[in-house]
Amino acid sequence: MAILEILKLPDPRLKEVAEDVVHFDRELHRFVADLEETRQAGPAAVGIAAPQAGRWQRIIIIDCSTTGKPVPNHGRLILVNPEITDWDGFALGREGCLSVPDYTGNVIRAARIKLRAHDPRGELQAYEMEGFEARALQHEVDHLDGILFIDRLVSRRTDLFQRKVYQKGGNRKKQV
Amino acid sequence: MNWQMLTLVGEDRPGIVARVTDALYKGGCILGETSMIRLGGNFTIMMMVNGGQSEQALASYIAPVAEQLRLRFHLDPMHGGLHQHRIPNFQVRVNGADRAGIIASVTGVLAGCGFNILELDSDVVGSTDKPVYIMTIEGYAEAGLEVLESALNQLESEEIDVHVSSIETLIG
């Protein structure tokens, strides 16, 4: 096991599109172990994608089981060749990135998604995700397509955000 | 590095940012964090500037442009520097009929909870005869969500809606 170097902005390699994994072998498993160790060594990252560690294959890890406020989640998932098959709703939330240190910003993501992906043994799996976990998944899949969250930043003043938050009602709403 | 905080304000028109930053660039200055926004028909700039030069030198670069564009400006030496971001963990959203004292009442309650405002923007919208006030605050507090909710309940008799929610920042 090893902690891998994280590519950081403005490294142009972060813009490269990753390729499908073809061989589900021991070498893949060794890399996944290193990738997970790298994720855990970072600043409380709930996800990591292989291109962030300099490997342009479609491999991501997400784990939303340890958020400050518990959220619906599937625990730690190692997802190979993930493909989002359905999107529903939208939500705005704050994101940061191991590859973009010292910056966070607001991004709109689908609120619910359906997904299929291979596990590390090559078995095809299907998932449905919502909220924070769906956001994490979309953030990591973006890395596989050479997209960073800063490519999707929106202003907090956007009308979209105001309406969305109002609809959700936050945790407190008081009417006069 | 010794940063200066440059503040400029004046009637909005195209080209203010380009002209001001070009003058600073040609004076050998670098820029740090900035906040620029149009408020009430004026354009406002707050900008961290560093040229390794005196306040007088910086002022000499800005003054001609400010005069041409009819901007007022001010320079203050500042402590601190880059990379001191703090990630907010709460957002407060306020809206209601516009009246004096909304910011004071809401932020007064938040201050009492130890809430550190990191960013606040507010606007008066609606119509002239029925103005509506909208404010969004992001900040950091050690206090829990329930504490903030309970404290903001003090405003219940006032004609405003107040929502507070936690922010879970995703790092991926």
Side-chain angles (χ1 to χ4, degrees), chain A residues 145-162:
Chain A
D145 293 324
I147 298 169
L148 299 174
F149 82 100
I150 54 173
D151 298 320
R152 298 190 184 276
L153 288 176
V154 296
S155 165
R156 194 160 53 75
R157 281 179 171 257
T158 57
D159 186 46
L160 183 63
F161 183 33
Q162 296 287 351

Side-chain angles (χ1 to χ4, degrees), chain A residues 43-60:
Chain A
V46 297
I48 191 168
Q52 291 179 278
R55 178 158 166 152
W56 286 270
Q57 283 190 305
R58 303 186 80 81
I59 306 163
I60 65 174

Side-chain angles (χ1 to χ4, degrees), chain A residues 9-10 16-17 25 27 30 47 64 69 89-90 104 107 109 119 128-129 132 134 139 149 155:
Chain A
L9 200 71
E16 295 182 19
V17 177
D25 53 15
E27 195 279 330
R30 277 196 294 272
C64 297
K69 178 182 171 187
F90 61 87
T104 61
V107 179
R109 302 285 189 185
D119 65 21
E128 293 187 18
M129 298 179 180
F132 193 82
H139 178 113
F149 82 100
S155 165

Side-chain angles (χ1 to χ4, degrees), chain A residues 96 102 156 165 171-172 174, chain B residues 83 93 136 149 153 161 170:
Chain A
D102 195 33
R156 194 160 53 75
V165 171
N171 292 299
R172 176 174 180 271
K174 175 171 60 63
Chain B
H83 310 297
R93 302 176 303 279
T136 308
E149 286 177 330
N153 272 332
D161 277 359
L170 181 152

